[in-house]
Amino acid sequence: MKMHGLGNDFVVLDARARAIEVTPALARALGDRHRGVGFDQLALIEARGTGDAHLTFYNADGSTSAACGNATRCIADFLMRESGALALTLTTDRGALPARRVEGGAVSVNMGPPQLDWAEVPLAEAMDTLELPIEGAPTATGMGNPHCTFFVEDAEALPLETFGPRYEHHPLYPERTNVQVAQIVGEDHIRMRVWERGVGVTLASGSSSCATAVAAARRGLTGRRVRIDLDGGTLEIDWREDGVWMTGGTAHVFDGVLTPAWLGLNA
């Protein structure tokens, strides 16, 4: 299946009925927008774990990620439509993520509590995650994957194509990091752009939106409930006692079948 959340696009493989082995090479081949299908992330649905399904995520470069917020929302929407349920729980390497249908048909997912300690993000050495010793004093946050959020005067002005990779590979982040540039528009409104680890510039990112909302609230720039405008659309983020809830639209674009010939060359 091809899906997207605000233009943050995914290939979703349904392995509930038949096992599918995903290798880094297969993930890279599927992610090729000219010779494969193309995606920001690949998601595998499996019938295991303690929830309604288990999700595993791969980046376009073949690396794995414990969390992918927009893909989780897309798959939750698909599974709820399939079963008729209004709520379910998906397990990931990040943990169990409850999802529910909200008024208007959008999907809300609890991405879990943010990871605020340096070792949880993780960072390379002990330090305060609120303001890192990096030019621009960004904030580090873990959401099952690492994030580095820069608060700037104008999110449109930064050349994200060169700015993003410079900090994705910063020595303070041993597992690399997602990079956000965020502009405070109001006490409950943020404009944000994203460079995703292992992917590049994306139109949206759910986990990045959660991390940015948490960072802004910790620094006293906003409240704990904000609207975040990304290049692909808007997400509502609400940092509650039980975790960071993310709400927005989803799209199921098409279903496809990979040919044996293509799989023979790329599996």
Side-chain angles (χ1 to χ4, degrees):
M1 297 174 281
K2 185 69 183 283
M3 299 178 174
H4 77 83
L6 312 184
N8 186 195
D9 67 329
F10 317 104
V11 166
V12 179
L13 302 178
D14 190 348
R16 289 176 295 167
R18 184 179 70 173
I20 299 173
E21 181 184 1
V22 178
T23 63
L26 177 60
R28 288 192 296 270
L30 275 169
D32 189 317
R33 296 188 183 276
H34 300 286
R35 296 179 174 86
V37 181
F39 58 73
D40 292 330
Q41 275 85 28
L42 172 69
L44 183 70
I45 310 175
E46 295 177 284
R48 63 182 178 90
T50 58
D52 294 276
H54 183 83
L55 309 182
T56 304
F57 305 107
Y58 300 82
N59 296 315
D61 68 354
S63 61
T64 58
S65 178
C68 183
N70 281 326
T72 301
R73 287 191 309 102
C74 286
I75 294 166
D77 178 71
F78 165 71
L79 294 176
M80 284 190 281
R81 291 181 186 277
E82 180 183 71
S83 67
L86 296 178
L88 49 75
T89 298
L90 299 171
T91 59
T92 69
D93 290 346
R94 160 74 164 143
L97 307 181
R100 66 188 185 195
R101 180 84 60 198
V102 298
E103 186 177 352
V107 175
S108 186
V109 171
N110 183 352
M111 294 297 292
Q115 298 159 311
L116 306 180
D117 183 79
W118 70 273
E120 293 179 319
V121 173
L123 298 178
E125 57 188 86
M127 66 185 65
D128 183 359
T129 58
L130 190 61
E131 293 190 9
L132 300 182
I134 296 174
E135 183 180 2
T139 297
T141 311
M143 289 299 309
N145 49 6
H147 296 272
C148 184
T149 306
F150 291 83
F151 291 97
V152 300
E153 291 295 321
D154 185 356
E156 311 292 340
L158 280 173
L160 201 55
E161 293 79 3
T162 54
F163 185 86
R166 183 192 318 165
Y167 294 102
E168 176 188 354
H169 298 275
H170 194 280
L172 278 182
Y173 284 91
E175 297 179 4
R176 299 182 295 163
T177 185
N178 298 282
V179 180
Q180 303 89 35
V181 292
Q183 173 186 341
I184 304 301
V185 179
E187 64 180 16
D188 62 352
H189 188 189
I190 299 173
R191 169 71 174 109
M192 187 188 78
R193 299 176 64 218
V194 183
W195 174 275
E196 283 203 76
R197 173 185 66 163
V199 181
V201 177
T202 57
L203 295 178
S205 168
S207 62
S208 290
S209 297
C210 293
T212 295
V214 168
R218 289 179 68 204
R219 293 176 71 146
L221 301 174
T222 67
R224 291 167 68 110
R225 184 172 184 172
V226 296
R227 181 173 89 251
I228 297 188
D229 294 334
L230 301 113
D231 289 345
T234 299
L235 288 172
E236 301 285 341
I237 309 296
D238 189 2
W239 182 14
R240 306 178 194 171
E241 291 301 316
D242 63 343
V244 185
W245 286 84
M246 172 182 56
T247 305
T250 63
H252 183 160
V253 184
F254 65 82
D255 295 340
V257 178
L258 299 171
T259 66
W262 187 90
L263 283 169
L265 292 173
N266 295 285

